[in-house]
Amino acid sequence: MDQTKQKTFSVEYEFGGVTFFKNVNAASEEDAKNQIQAQQTNATIHGVSIIEENENYAG
């Protein structure tokens, strides 16, 4: 299993003219962006902020 520390990121993105915020667990900002792009292929990412580091993440 991958032992990379997961962090919680808040991703701000626009889809269909509406701005959304979604919290995702990811290893990096790029990974967080990629998760949103995979779910909403036409979304425009406006920003990614780290919320917390999850040292005991078992995901």
Side-chain angles (χ1 to χ4, degrees):
M1 186 184 321
D2 187 6
Q3 296 297 324
T4 304
K5 276 190 186 176
Q6 295 285 302
K7 300 172 186 151
T8 303
F9 292 92
S10 177
V11 182
E12 176 186 354
Y13 64 98
E14 184 177 335
F15 181 74
V18 179
T19 300
F20 296 91
F21 292 86
K22 184 168 186 176
N23 293 349
V24 296
N25 288 324
S28 66
E29 288 182 24
E30 193 64 32
D31 183 29
K33 285 193 261 185
N34 289 339
Q35 287 184 38
I36 297 299
Q37 286 291 175
Q39 295 170 4
Q40 303 290 341
T41 56
N42 293 325
T44 302
I45 307 294
H46 290 291
V48 178
S49 301
I50 189 166
I51 296 176
E52 65 181 337
E53 291 191 29
N54 303 319
E55 295 191 23
N56 296 321
Y57 182 76

